[in-house]
Amino acid sequence: DSGVTQTPKHLITATGQRVTLRCSPRSGDLSVYWYQQSLDQGLQFLIQYYNGEERAKGNILERFSAQQFPDLHSELNLSSLELGDSALYFCASSVEQLNTGELFFGEGSRLTVL
Amino acid sequence: AQSVTQLGSHVSVSEGALVLLRCNYSSSVPPYLFWYVQYPNQGLQLLLKYTTGATLVKGINGFEAEFKKSETSFHLTKPSAHMSDAAEYFCAVSESDTGRRALTFGSGTRLQVQP
């Protein structure tokens, strides 16, 4: 158990819909990262937050947005969903802002868009 | 820009045989390098990392990797494979000049261990 909690574990929805994925980082971790894992794209970095502020942006679509709340949990919002958004979305956390340390990954939220 | 190439999307070895998973990186500044493992239906878990210092890095479960700057490589090895090593392995890189840059992962190598 990494200590990172993601909900929901599975989600099935239709094209055009909007969903919210939630992540609770390990106790004490200030950084939260979102990654998308799909068969064709592999593991793609989406976005990073540190103590409530956006720190780095990767290949995140404009239809996607995220935020980190004062209690440090984070939400990833996916809107106007397309079939290609079907993937496993991982949240990871680390205690520090810098990438010299270890990322702790949750078990992921599997999104299926029909 | 940083990138990672993992040679071989699938590797199959016999139990007790040497495991060698290949990773080459590209980075404009000295890299930080990582190997993560993903077991079925689980998130990724850190196996080992190289930041500075000794180029031969030992990790969990008997794995080790050697940073070779001249070859831009960070191959993962284990002398004797165990059935429990069957999983997907990801090499990752981040750049040391700006710690804000998140990890860039390779495409992964699925390791099968035959009895």
Side-chain angles (χ1 to χ4, degrees):
Chain A
D1 182 3
S2 67
V4 177
T5 303
Q6 289 187 247
T7 57
K9 290 191 185 307
H10 300 276
L11 189 55
I12 301 174
T13 189
T15 54
Q17 295 299 304
R18 172 189 170 96
V19 298
T20 297
L21 309 181
R22 182 187 169 101
C23 169
S24 294
R26 284 191 327 156
S27 177
D29 284 359
L30 299 179
S31 263
V32 170
Y33 306 76
W34 286 98
Y35 282 84
Q36 179 193 58
Q37 186 179 37
S38 61
L39 285 176
D40 54 344
Q41 297 286 330
L43 260 170
Q44 296 286 317
F45 167 65
L46 296 179
I47 198 163
Q48 176 201 0
Y49 280 83
Y50 177 78
N51 203 21
E53 293 188 10
E54 183 182 306
R55 274 292 179 258
K57 225 169 186 176
N59 301 322
I60 188 166
L61 300 172
E62 285 191 10
R63 300 183 285 110
F64 296 0
S65 65
Q67 54 184 326
Q68 186 179 28
F69 294 87
D71 67 352
L72 300 178
H73 91 271
S74 178
E75 293 181 357
L76 178 66
N77 300 296
L78 316 175
S79 61
S80 302
L81 286 168
E82 302 175 359
L83 296 178
D85 297 327
S86 295
L88 191 53
Y89 291 85
F90 283 109
C91 170
S93 72
S94 69
V95 65
E96 64 214 15
Q97 182 178 346
L98 302 181
N99 287 311
T100 59
E102 177 175 357
L103 294 188
F104 294 87
F105 281 80
E107 295 188 353
S109 292
R110 184 170 295 282
L111 173 65
T112 302
V113 182
L114 300 177
Chain B
Q2 57 194 23
S3 66
V4 170
T5 301
Q6 291 186 240
L7 299 175
S9 59
H10 289 83
V11 170
S12 182
V13 300
S14 298
E15 192 172 17
L18 170 73
V19 175
L20 170 61
L21 304 182
R22 299 178 187 275
C23 171
N24 288 89
Y25 69 89
S26 173
S27 176
S28 56
V29 297
Y32 295 147
L33 295 160
F34 306 79
W35 276 99
Y36 279 80
V37 60
Q38 184 180 25
Y39 298 103
N41 301 315
Q42 293 187 26
L44 283 74
Q45 177 185 1
L46 182 68
L47 270 181
L48 49 80
K49 65 179 181 181
Y50 167 80
T51 53
T52 58
T55 56
L56 182 62
V57 180
K58 294 186 186 300
I60 62 172
N61 302 336
F63 284 93
E64 62 182 36
E66 187 171 12
F67 169 60
K68 292 187 177 180
K69 183 179 177 181
S70 61
E71 299 177 8
T72 61
S73 69
F74 191 58
H75 302 330
L76 181 70
T77 61
K78 182 174 180 178
S80 176
H82 191 272
M83 296 296 290
S84 61
D85 295 327
E88 187 147 23
Y89 293 80
F90 293 90
C91 184
V93 62
S94 72
E95 294 185 345
S96 60
D97 63 335
T98 161
R100 294 180 179 182
R101 199 185 305 274
L103 295 185
T104 298
F105 285 89
S107 55
T109 297
R110 186 168 297 278
L111 176 66
Q112 285 184 311
V113 182
Q114 308 289 344

